[in-house]
Amino acid sequence: MKNQIHNKGRRTILKGLFAIPVVTIAGFQSTANAAMLSADDPTAKALGYTDKSTTEGQSCANCNFYQGDTAASGPCTIFPGKDVAAAGWCKSWVAKA
Ligand code: SF4
């Protein structure tokens, strides 16, 4: 009886441990597969987003809000759930710290 209770508790702990990586991987995939931000998005329009910067020396790739590292596109904290082009730009551009 005591062993059954002990085993049940161990199984519960193991299930919890296995659940953590699944949640982490699922969260990572949703960010990695985000849709590209459209220039027609109302917030994008308000901030003058373009997928090809015309401002010398400024692009998403060197903006502090860009989360895509060296990728051609990636997340931007200003546009949650969407990817922006590394070559893009908007009025919220701030030099990478
Ligand atoms: Fe690009 Fe604007 Fe996002 Fe900076 S804030 S990464 S310039 S979309």
Side-chain angles (χ1 to χ4, degrees):
M1 181 72 173
K2 190 176 177 187
N3 261 356
Q4 282 179 328
I5 293 169
H6 186 73
N7 283 342
K8 194 173 182 181
R10 188 184 307 167
R11 259 186 254 130
T12 303
I13 291 168
L14 287 173
K15 279 182 190 173
L17 289 176
F18 284 117
I20 293 169
V22 173
V23 170
T24 303
I25 290 167
F28 175 75
Q29 284 179 336
S30 69
T31 301
N33 297 329
M36 288 298 292
L37 177 68
S38 166
D40 292 332
D41 176 283
T43 308
K45 274 186 177 175
L47 294 177
Y49 173 78
T50 174
D51 60 6
K52 195 159 183 129
S53 175
T54 56
T55 306
E56 182 79 27
Q58 295 182 9
S59 69
C60 295
N62 62 13
C63 173
N64 203 40
F65 297 114
Y66 186 64
Q67 308 288 300
D69 198 20
T70 58
S73 64
C76 163
T77 54
I78 301 294
F79 300 102
K82 301 284 184 180
D83 280 356
V84 297
W89 181 90
C90 83
K91 293 175 187 174
S92 295
W93 183 90
V94 173
K96 204 174 261 304

Coordinates of all heavy atoms in Angstrom, one line a residue:
M1 N 0.8 -1.2 0.0 CA 0.0 0.0 0.0 C 0.9 1.3 0.0 O 0.7 2.2 -0.8 CB -0.9 -0.1 1.2 CG -1.9 1.1 1.3 SD -3.1 1.0 0.0 CE -4.2 2.3 0.5
K2 N 1.8 1.3 0.9 CA 2.7 2.4 1.0 C 3.5 2.6 -0.3 O 3.7 3.7 -0.8 CB 3.7 2.2 2.2 CG 4.5 3.5 2.5 CD 5.3 3.3 3.7 CE 6.2 4.5 4.0 NZ 7.1 4.3 5.0
N3 N 3.9 1.5 -0.9 CA 4.7 1.6 -2.2 C 3.8 2.1 -3.3 O 4.3 2.8 -4.2 CB 5.2 0.2 -2.6 CG 6.6 0.0 -2.2 OD1 7.3 0.9 -1.7 ND2 7.2 -1.2 -2.4
Q4 N 2.5 1.7 -3.3 CA 1.6 2.2 -4.3 C 1.4 3.8 -4.2 O 1.4 4.4 -5.3 CB 0.2 1.6 -4.2 CG 0.1 0.2 -4.7 CD -1.2 -0.4 -4.5 OE1 -1.9 -0.1 -3.6 NE2 -1.6 -1.3 -5.4
I5 N 1.3 4.3 -3.0 CA 1.2 5.7 -2.8 C 2.5 6.4 -3.3 O 2.5 7.4 -4.0 CB 0.9 6.0 -1.3 CG1 -0.5 5.5 -1.0 CG2 1.0 7.5 -1.1 CD1 -0.9 5.6 0.5
H6 N 3.6 5.8 -2.9 CA 4.9 6.3 -3.2 C 5.1 6.4 -4.8 O 5.5 7.4 -5.3 CB 6.0 5.5 -2.6 CG 7.4 6.0 -2.8 ND1 7.8 7.1 -2.1 CD2 8.4 5.6 -3.6 CE1 9.0 7.4 -2.4 NE2 9.4 6.5 -3.3
N7 N 4.7 5.3 -5.4 CA 4.8 5.2 -6.9 C 3.9 6.2 -7.6 O 4.3 6.8 -8.6 CB 4.5 3.8 -7.4 CG 5.7 2.8 -7.2 OD1 6.8 3.3 -6.9 ND2 5.4 1.6 -7.2
K8 N 2.7 6.4 -7.1 CA 1.8 7.3 -7.6 C 2.3 8.8 -7.6 O 2.3 9.5 -8.5 CB 0.4 7.2 -6.9 CG -0.7 7.9 -7.6 CD -2.0 7.7 -6.9 CE -3.1 8.3 -7.7 NZ -4.4 8.1 -7.0
G9 N 2.9 9.1 -6.4 CA 3.5 10.4 -6.2 C 4.7 10.6 -7.2 O 4.9 11.6 -7.8
R10 N 5.5 9.5 -7.4 CA 6.6 9.6 -8.3 C 6.2 9.8 -9.8 O 6.7 10.6 -10.5 CB 7.5 8.3 -8.2 CG 8.8 8.4 -9.0 CD 9.6 7.2 -9.0 NE 9.8 6.7 -7.6 CZ 10.3 5.5 -7.3 NH1 10.6 4.6 -8.3 NH2 10.5 5.1 -6.1
R11 N 5.1 9.1 -10.1 CA 4.5 9.2 -11.5 C 4.0 10.6 -11.7 O 4.2 11.2 -12.8 CB 3.4 8.2 -11.7 CG 3.8 7.0 -12.5 CD 2.7 6.1 -12.8 NE 2.8 4.9 -11.9 CZ 1.8 4.4 -11.2 NH1 0.7 4.9 -11.2 NH2 2.1 3.4 -10.4
T12 N 3.4 11.2 -10.7 CA 2.9 12.6 -10.8 C 4.0 13.6 -11.1 O 3.9 14.4 -11.9 CB 2.1 13.0 -9.6 OG1 1.1 12.0 -9.4 CG2 1.5 14.3 -9.7
I13 N 5.1 13.4 -10.3 CA 6.3 14.3 -10.5 C 6.9 14.1 -11.9 O 7.2 15.1 -12.5 CB 7.3 14.0 -9.4 CG1 6.8 14.4 -8.0 CG2 8.6 14.7 -9.7 CD1 7.6 13.9 -6.8
L14 N 7.0 12.8 -12.3 CA 7.6 12.6 -13.6 C 6.8 13.2 -14.7 O 7.3 13.8 -15.7 CB 7.8 11.1 -13.9 CG 8.9 10.5 -13.1 CD1 9.0 9.0 -13.2 CD2 10.3 11.1 -13.5
K15 N 5.4 13.1 -14.6 CA 4.5 13.7 -15.6 C 4.8 15.2 -15.7 O 4.8 15.8 -16.8 CB 3.1 13.4 -15.3 CG 2.6 12.0 -15.7 CD 1.1 11.9 -15.3 CE 0.7 10.4 -15.5 NZ -0.7 10.2 -15.0
G16 N 4.9 15.8 -14.5 CA 5.1 17.2 -14.5 C 6.4 17.6 -15.2 O 6.5 18.6 -15.9
L17 N 7.5 16.9 -14.9 CA 8.8 17.1 -15.5 C 8.7 17.0 -17.0 O 9.3 17.8 -17.8 CB 9.9 16.2 -14.9 CG 10.2 16.5 -13.5 CD1 11.2 15.4 -13.0 CD2 10.9 17.9 -13.3
F18 N 8.0 16.0 -17.5 CA 7.9 15.8 -19.0 C 7.1 16.9 -19.6 O 7.3 17.2 -20.8 CB 7.4 14.4 -19.3 CG 8.4 13.4 -19.2 CD1 8.2 12.4 -18.2 CD2 9.6 13.4 -19.9 CE1 9.2 11.4 -18.0 CE2 10.5 12.4 -19.7 CZ 10.3 11.4 -18.8
A19 N 6.2 17.5 -18.9 CA 5.3 18.5 -19.5 C 6.0 19.8 -19.7 O 5.7 20.6 -20.7 CB 4.1 18.8 -18.6
I20 N 7.1 20.2 -19.0 CA 7.8 21.4 -19.1 C 8.4 21.6 -20.5 O 8.2 22.6 -21.1 CB 8.8 21.6 -17.9 CG1 8.1 21.7 -16.6 CG2 9.7 22.8 -18.2 CD1 9.0 21.6 -15.4
P21 N 9.2 20.7 -21.0 CA 9.8 20.9 -22.3 C 8.8 21.0 -23.4 O 9.0 21.7 -24.3 CB 10.7 19.6 -22.5 CG 10.9 19.1 -21.1 CD 9.7 19.5 -20.3
V22 N 7.7 20.3 -23.3 CA 6.7 20.3 -24.4 C 6.1 21.8 -24.5 O 6.0 22.3 -25.5 CB 5.5 19.3 -24.1 CG1 4.4 19.5 -25.1 CG2 6.1 17.9 -24.2
V23 N 5.8 22.4 -23.3 CA 5.3 23.7 -23.3 C 6.4 24.7 -23.9 O 6.1 25.5 -24.7 CB 4.9 24.1 -21.9 CG1 4.6 25.6 -21.8 CG2 3.7 23.3 -21.4
T24 N 7.6 24.5 -23.5 CA 8.7 25.4 -24.0 C 8.9 25.2 -25.5 O 9.0 26.2 -26.2 CB 10.0 25.0 -23.3 OG1 9.8 25.1 -21.9 CG2 11.1 25.9 -23.7
I25 N 8.9 24.0 -26.0 CA 9.0 23.8 -27.5 C 7.8 24.4 -28.2 O 8.0 25.1 -29.2 CB 9.2 22.3 -27.8 CG1 10.6 21.8 -27.2 CG2 9.1 22.0 -29.2 CD1 10.7 20.3 -27.2
A26 N 6.6 24.2 -27.7 CA 5.4 24.7 -28.4 C 5.5 26.2 -28.4 O 5.2 26.8 -29.4 CB 4.2 24.3 -27.6
G27 N 5.9 26.9 -27.4 CA 6.1 28.3 -27.3 C 7.1 28.8 -28.3 O 6.9 29.8 -29.0
F28 N 8.2 28.1 -28.4 CA 9.3 28.5 -29.4 C 8.8 28.4 -30.8 O 9.0 29.3 -31.6 CB 10.5 27.6 -29.2 CG 11.6 27.9 -30.2 CD1 12.4 29.0 -30.0 CD2 11.8 27.0 -31.2 CE1 13.4 29.2 -30.9 CE2 12.8 27.2 -32.1 CZ 13.6 28.4 -32.0
Q29 N 8.1 27.3 -31.1 CA 7.6 27.1 -32.5 C 6.6 28.2 -32.9 O 6.6 28.6 -34.0 CB 6.9 25.7 -32.6 CG 8.0 24.6 -32.7 CD 7.3 23.3 -32.8 OE1 6.2 23.1 -32.4 NE2 8.1 22.3 -33.3
S30 N 5.7 28.6 -32.0 CA 4.8 29.6 -32.4 C 5.5 30.9 -32.7 O 5.0 31.6 -33.6 CB 3.7 29.8 -31.3 OG 4.3 30.4 -30.2
T31 N 6.6 31.2 -32.1 CA 7.3 32.4 -32.4 C 8.1 32.2 -33.7 O 8.1 33.1 -34.5 CB 8.3 32.7 -31.2 OG1 7.6 32.9 -30.0 CG2 9.1 34.0 -31.5
A32 N 8.7 31.1 -33.9 CA 9.5 30.8 -35.1 C 8.6 30.8 -36.3 O 9.1 31.1 -37.4 CB 10.2 29.5 -34.9
N33 N 7.3 30.4 -36.2 CA 6.5 30.3 -37.4 C 5.5 31.5 -37.5 O 4.5 31.4 -38.1 CB 5.7 29.0 -37.3 CG 6.6 27.8 -37.4 OD1 7.7 27.9 -38.0 ND2 6.2 26.7 -36.8
A34 N 5.8 32.6 -36.9 CA 4.9 33.7 -36.9 C 4.7 34.3 -38.3 O 5.6 34.2 -39.1 CB 5.4 34.9 -36.0
A35 N 3.5 34.8 -38.6 CA 3.3 35.3 -39.9 C 4.0 36.7 -40.1 O 4.3 37.3 -39.1 CB 1.8 35.6 -40.1
M36 N 4.4 37.0 -41.3 CA 5.0 38.3 -41.6 C 4.1 39.4 -41.3 O 2.9 39.3 -41.7 CB 5.6 38.3 -43.0 CG 6.8 37.4 -43.2 SD 8.2 37.9 -42.3 CE 8.7 39.4 -43.0
L37 N 4.6 40.5 -40.8 CA 3.8 41.7 -40.6 C 3.4 42.3 -42.0 O 4.3 42.5 -42.8 CB 4.6 42.7 -39.8 CG 3.9 44.1 -39.6 CD1 2.6 43.9 -38.7 CD2 4.9 45.0 -38.9
S38 N 2.2 42.6 -42.2 CA 1.8 43.3 -43.4 C 1.9 44.8 -43.3 O 1.5 45.3 -42.2 CB 0.3 42.9 -43.7 OG -0.2 43.7 -44.7
A39 N 2.3 45.4 -44.3 CA 2.4 46.9 -44.3 C 1.0 47.5 -44.2 O 0.8 48.7 -43.9 CB 3.1 47.4 -45.5
D40 N -0.1 46.7 -44.5 CA -1.5 47.1 -44.4 C -2.0 47.0 -43.0 O -3.1 47.5 -42.7 CB -2.3 46.3 -45.3 CG -2.0 46.6 -46.8 OD1 -1.5 47.8 -47.1 OD2 -2.2 45.7 -47.6
D41 N -1.3 46.4 -42.1 CA -1.7 46.2 -40.7 C -1.9 47.7 -40.1 O -1.0 48.5 -40.3 CB -0.6 45.5 -39.9 CG -0.9 45.4 -38.4 OD1 -0.7 46.4 -37.7 OD2 -1.3 44.3 -38.0
P42 N -3.0 47.9 -39.4 CA -3.3 49.3 -38.9 C -2.1 49.9 -38.1 O -1.8 51.1 -38.2 CB -4.5 49.1 -38.1 CG -5.2 47.9 -38.6 CD -4.1 47.0 -39.1
T43 N -1.5 49.1 -37.2 CA -0.4 49.6 -36.4 C 0.8 49.8 -37.2 O 1.5 50.8 -37.1 CB -0.1 48.6 -35.2 OG1 -1.3 48.3 -34.5 CG2 0.9 49.1 -34.3
A44 N 1.0 48.9 -38.2 CA 2.2 49.1 -39.1 C 2.0 50.3 -39.9 O 3.0 51.1 -40.1 CB 2.3 47.9 -40.0
K45 N 0.8 50.6 -40.4 CA 0.6 51.9 -41.1 C 0.8 53.1 -40.2 O 1.5 54.0 -40.7 CB -0.9 51.9 -41.6 CG -1.1 51.2 -42.9 CD -2.6 51.5 -43.4 CE -2.8 50.8 -44.7 NZ -4.2 51.0 -45.2
A46 N 0.3 53.0 -39.0 CA 0.5 54.2 -38.1 C 2.0 54.5 -37.8 O 2.3 55.6 -37.6 CB -0.3 53.9 -36.8
L47 N 2.8 53.4 -37.8 CA 4.2 53.6 -37.5 C 5.0 53.6 -38.8 O 6.3 53.6 -38.7 CB 4.7 52.4 -36.6 CG 4.1 52.4 -35.2 CD1 4.5 51.2 -34.4 CD2 4.4 53.7 -34.5
G48 N 4.4 53.7 -39.9 CA 5.1 53.8 -41.2 C 6.0 52.6 -41.5 O 7.0 52.8 -42.2
Y49 N 5.6 51.4 -41.1 CA 6.4 50.2 -41.4 C 6.5 50.0 -42.9 O 5.6 50.1 -43.6 CB 5.8 49.0 -40.7 CG 6.5 47.7 -41.0 CD1 7.8 47.4 -40.5 CD2 6.0 46.9 -42.0 CE1 8.4 46.2 -40.8 CE2 6.7 45.7 -42.3 CZ 7.9 45.4 -41.7 OH 8.6 44.2 -42.1
T50 N 7.7 49.6 -43.3 CA 8.0 49.2 -44.6 C 9.0 48.0 -44.5 O 9.8 47.9 -43.6 CB 8.7 50.3 -45.5 OG1 9.0 49.7 -46.7 CG2 9.9 50.9 -44.8
D51 N 8.8 47.0 -45.4 CA 9.7 45.9 -45.4 C 11.1 46.1 -46.0 O 11.9 45.3 -46.1 CB 9.1 44.6 -45.9 CG 8.6 44.8 -47.4 OD1 9.0 45.8 -48.0 OD2 8.0 43.8 -47.9
K52 N 11.3 47.4 -46.5 CA 12.5 47.8 -47.1 C 12.9 49.2 -46.7 O 12.3 50.2 -47.2 CB 12.5 47.6 -48.6 CG 13.8 47.7 -49.3 CD 13.8 47.1 -50.6 CE 15.2 47.1 -51.2 NZ 15.7 45.8 -51.7
S53 N 13.8 49.3 -45.7 CA 14.1 50.6 -45.2 C 14.7 51.6 -46.3 O 15.5 51.1 -47.1 CB 15.1 50.5 -44.1 OG 15.5 51.8 -43.6
T54 N 14.3 52.8 -46.2 CA 14.8 53.8 -47.1 C 15.6 54.9 -46.2 O 16.0 55.9 -46.7 CB 13.7 54.5 -47.9 OG1 12.8 55.1 -47.0 CG2 13.1 53.6 -48.9
T55 N 15.7 54.6 -44.9 CA 16.4 55.4 -44.0 C 17.9 54.9 -43.8 O 18.1 53.9 -43.3 CB 15.7 55.5 -42.6 OG1 14.3 55.8 -42.9 CG2 16.3 56.5 -41.7
E56 N 18.8 55.7 -44.3 CA 20.2 55.4 -44.2 C 20.7 54.9 -42.8 O 20.5 55.6 -41.9 CB 21.0 56.6 -44.7 CG 22.5 56.4 -44.7 CD 22.9 55.6 -46.0 OE1 22.2 55.7 -47.0 OE2 23.9 54.9 -46.0
G57 N 21.2 53.7 -42.8 CA 21.8 53.2 -41.5 C 20.8 52.7 -40.5 O 21.2 52.4 -39.4
Q58 N 19.5 52.7 -40.9 CA 18.5 52.2 -40.0 C 17.7 51.1 -40.6 O 17.1 51.3 -41.7 CB 17.6 53.4 -39.5 CG 18.2 54.5 -38.7 CD 17.2 55.5 -38.3 OE1 16.0 55.4 -38.4 NE2 17.8 56.6 -37.8
S59 N 17.6 50.0 -40.0 CA 16.7 48.9 -40.4 C 16.4 48.1 -39.2 O 17.0 48.2 -38.1 CB 17.4 48.0 -41.5 OG 18.5 47.3 -40.9
C60 N 15.4 47.2 -39.3 CA 15.0 46.3 -38.2 C 16.2 45.6 -37.7 O 16.3 45.3 -36.5 CB 13.9 45.4 -38.7 SG 12.4 46.2 -39.1
A61 N 17.1 45.2 -38.6 CA 18.3 44.4 -38.2 C 19.1 45.0 -37.1 O 19.7 44.4 -36.3 CB 19.1 44.0 -39.4
N62 N 19.2 46.4 -37.1 CA 20.0 47.1 -36.1 C 19.1 47.9 -35.2 O 19.6 48.8 -34.5 CB 21.1 47.9 -36.8 CG 20.6 49.0 -37.6 OD1 19.4 49.3 -37.6 ND2 21.4 49.6 -38.4
C63 N 17.9 47.5 -35.0 CA 16.9 48.1 -34.1 C 16.9 47.3 -32.8 O 17.0 46.1 -32.8 CB 15.5 48.2 -34.7 SG 14.3 48.8 -33.6
N64 N 16.8 48.1 -31.7 CA 16.8 47.4 -30.4 C 15.6 46.5 -30.2 O 15.6 45.7 -29.3 CB 16.8 48.5 -29.3 CG 17.3 48.0 -28.0 OD1 18.3 47.2 -28.0 ND2 16.8 48.4 -26.9
F65 N 14.5 46.7 -30.9 CA 13.3 45.9 -30.7 C 13.3 44.6 -31.6 O 12.4 43.8 -31.4 CB 12.0 46.8 -31.1 CG 11.8 48.0 -30.2 CD1 11.9 49.2 -30.7 CD2 11.6 47.8 -28.8 CE1 11.8 50.3 -29.9 CE2 11.4 48.9 -28.0 CZ 11.5 50.2 -28.5
Y66 N 14.2 44.5 -32.5 CA 14.3 43.3 -33.3 C 14.8 42.1 -32.5 O 15.9 42.2 -31.9 CB 15.2 43.6 -34.5 CG 15.2 42.5 -35.6 CD1 14.0 42.2 -36.3 CD2 16.3 41.8 -35.9 CE1 14.0 41.2 -37.2 CE2 16.4 40.8 -36.8 CZ 15.2 40.5 -37.5 OH 15.2 39.5 -38.5
Q67 N 14.1 41.0 -32.6 CA 14.5 39.8 -31.9 C 15.0 38.7 -32.8 O 15.1 37.5 -32.4 CB 13.3 39.3 -31.1 CG 12.6 40.3 -30.3 CD 13.4 40.7 -29.0 OE1 13.6 39.8 -28.2 NE2 13.7 41.9 -28.9
G68 N 15.2 39.0 -34.1 CA 15.6 38.0 -35.1 C 17.1 37.7 -35.2 O 17.4 37.0 -36.1
D69 N 17.9 38.3 -34.3 CA 19.3 38.1 -34.4 C 19.8 38.4 -35.8 O 19.6 39.5 -36.3 CB 19.7 36.7 -33.9 CG 21.1 36.5 -33.6 OD1 21.8 37.6 -33.3 OD2 21.6 35.4 -33.5
T70 N 20.4 37.4 -36.5 CA 20.9 37.7 -37.9 C 20.0 37.1 -39.0 O 20.4 37.2 -40.1 CB 22.3 37.0 -38.0 OG1 22.2 35.6 -37.8 CG2 23.3 37.7 -37.1
A71 N 18.8 36.7 -38.6 CA 17.9 36.1 -39.6 C 17.3 37.2 -40.5 O 17.3 38.4 -40.1 CB 16.7 35.4 -38.9
A72 N 16.8 36.8 -41.7 CA 16.3 37.7 -42.6 C 14.9 38.3 -42.2 O 14.5 39.4 -42.6 CB 16.1 37.0 -44.0
S73 N 14.3 37.6 -41.2 CA 13.1 38.1 -40.6 C 13.0 37.6 -39.2 O 13.6 36.5 -38.9 CB 11.9 37.8 -41.4 OG 11.7 36.4 -41.4
G74 N 12.2 38.3 -38.3 CA 12.1 37.8 -37.0 C 11.1 38.6 -36.2 O 10.6 39.6 -36.7
P75 N 10.9 38.3 -35.0 CA 9.9 39.0 -34.1 C 10.4 40.4 -33.8 O 11.6 40.6 -33.7 CB 9.8 38.1 -32.9 CG 10.4 36.8 -33.2 CD 11.4 37.1 -34.3
C76 N 9.5 41.3 -33.5 CA 9.7 42.6 -33.1 C 8.8 42.8 -31.9 O 7.6 42.5 -32.0 CB 9.4 43.6 -34.2 SG 9.3 45.3 -33.6
T77 N 9.3 43.4 -30.8 CA 8.5 43.5 -29.6 C 7.4 44.6 -29.8 O 6.4 44.6 -29.1 CB 9.4 43.9 -28.4 OG1 10.1 45.1 -28.7 CG2 10.3 42.8 -28.0
I78 N 7.5 45.4 -30.8 CA 6.4 46.4 -31.1 C 5.2 45.7 -31.8 O 4.1 46.2 -31.7 CB 7.0 47.5 -32.0 CG1 8.2 48.3 -31.3 CG2 5.9 48.5 -32.4 CD1 7.8 49.0 -30.0
F79 N 5.5 44.7 -32.5 CA 4.4 43.9 -33.2 C 4.4 42.5 -32.7 O 4.8 41.6 -33.5 CB 4.7 44.0 -34.7 CG 4.8 45.4 -35.3 CD1 6.0 46.0 -35.6 CD2 3.6 46.1 -35.5 CE1 6.0 47.3 -36.1 CE2 3.6 47.4 -36.0 CZ 4.9 48.0 -36.3
P80 N 3.8 42.3 -31.6 CA 3.8 40.9 -31.0 C 3.0 39.9 -31.9 O 2.0 40.3 -32.5 CB 3.1 41.1 -29.7 CG 2.5 42.5 -29.6 CD 3.2 43.3 -30.7
G81 N 3.6 38.7 -32.0 CA 3.0 37.7 -32.8 C 3.2 37.7 -34.3 O 2.7 36.9 -35.1
K82 N 4.0 38.7 -34.8 CA 4.3 38.9 -36.2 C 5.8 39.0 -36.3 O 6.5 39.4 -35.5 CB 3.7 40.2 -36.7 CG 2.2 40.3 -36.6 CD 1.5 39.4 -37.7 CE 0.0 39.6 -37.6 NZ -0.7 38.8 -38.5
D83 N 6.3 38.6 -37.5 CA 7.7 38.7 -37.8 C 7.8 40.0 -38.7 O 6.9 40.3 -39.5 CB 8.2 37.5 -38.6 CG 8.6 36.4 -37.6 OD1 8.5 36.6 -36.4 OD2 8.9 35.3 -38.1
V84 N 8.9 40.7 -38.6 CA 9.2 41.8 -39.5 C 10.5 41.5 -40.3 O 11.3 40.6 -39.9 CB 9.5 43.1 -38.7 CG1 8.2 43.5 -37.9 CG2 10.6 43.0 -37.7
A85 N 10.6 42.1 -41.4 CA 11.8 41.9 -42.3 C 13.0 42.6 -41.6 O 12.9 43.7 -41.2 CB 11.6 42.5 -43.7
A86 N 14.2 41.9 -41.6 CA 15.4 42.5 -41.1 C 15.7 43.8 -41.9 O 16.3 44.7 -41.3 CB 16.5 41.5 -41.2
A87 N 15.4 43.8 -43.1 CA 15.6 45.0 -44.0 C 14.6 46.1 -43.8 O 14.7 47.2 -44.4 CB 15.7 44.6 -45.5
G88 N 13.6 45.8 -43.0 CA 12.5 46.8 -42.8 C 12.8 47.9 -41.9 O 14.0 48.1 -41.4
W89 N 11.8 48.7 -41.6 CA 12.0 49.9 -40.8 C 10.6 50.4 -40.4 O 9.6 50.2 -41.1 CB 12.7 51.0 -41.6 CG 12.9 52.3 -40.8 CD1 14.0 52.6 -40.0 CD2 12.1 53.4 -40.7 NE1 13.9 53.9 -39.5 CE2 12.7 54.4 -39.9 CE3 10.8 53.8 -41.3 CZ2 12.1 55.6 -39.6 CZ3 10.3 55.0 -41.0 CH2 10.9 55.9 -40.1
C90 N 10.5 51.1 -39.2 CA 9.3 51.9 -38.8 C 9.7 53.0 -37.9 O 10.9 53.1 -37.6 CB 8.3 51.0 -38.1 SG 8.6 50.7 -36.4
K91 N 8.8 53.9 -37.6 CA 9.1 55.1 -36.9 C 9.5 54.9 -35.4 O 10.1 55.8 -34.8 CB 7.8 56.0 -36.8 CG 7.4 56.6 -38.1 CD 6.1 57.4 -38.0 CE 5.6 57.8 -39.4 NZ 4.3 58.4 -39.3
S92 N 9.4 53.6 -35.0 CA 9.8 53.3 -33.6 C 11.2 52.8 -33.5 O 11.7 52.4 -32.4 CB 8.9 52.2 -33.0 OG 7.6 52.6 -32.9
W93 N 11.9 52.9 -34.6 CA 13.3 52.4 -34.7 C 14.2 53.1 -33.6 O 14.1 54.3 -33.4 CB 14.0 52.8 -36.0 CG 15.4 52.2 -36.1 CD1 15.7 51.0 -36.6 CD2 16.6 52.9 -35.8 NE1 17.1 50.9 -36.5 CE2 17.7 52.0 -36.0 CE3 16.9 54.1 -35.2 CZ2 19.0 52.4 -35.8 CZ3 18.2 54.5 -35.0 CH2 19.2 53.6 -35.3
V94 N 14.9 52.3 -32.8 CA 15.8 52.7 -31.8 C 17.1 51.9 -32.0 O 17.0 50.7 -32.2 CB 15.3 52.5 -30.4 CG1 16.3 52.8 -29.3 CG2 14.0 53.3 -30.2
A95 N 18.3 52.5 -32.0 CA 19.5 51.9 -32.2 C 19.7 50.7 -31.2 O 19.3 50.9 -30.0 CB 20.7 52.8 -32.0
K96 N 20.2 49.6 -31.7 CA 20.4 48.4 -30.8 C 21.4 48.8 -29.7 O 22.4 49.4 -30.0 CB 21.0 47.3 -31.7 CG 20.8 45.9 -31.1 CD 21.2 44.8 -32.0 CE 20.2 44.2 -32.8 NZ 19.1 43.6 -32.2
A97 N 21.0 48.4 -28.5 CA 21.9 48.8 -27.3 C 23.1 47.9 -27.3 O 23.1 46.8 -27.7 CB 21.0 48.7 -26.1
Ligands
SF4_1 FE1 11.7 47.2 -37.2 FE2 10.2 49.1 -36.2 FE3 10.3 46.7 -35.0 FE4 12.4 48.3 -34.9 S1 10.5 48.7 -34.0 S2 12.4 46.1 -35.4 S3 12.3 49.3 -36.9 S4 9.5 47.2 -37.0

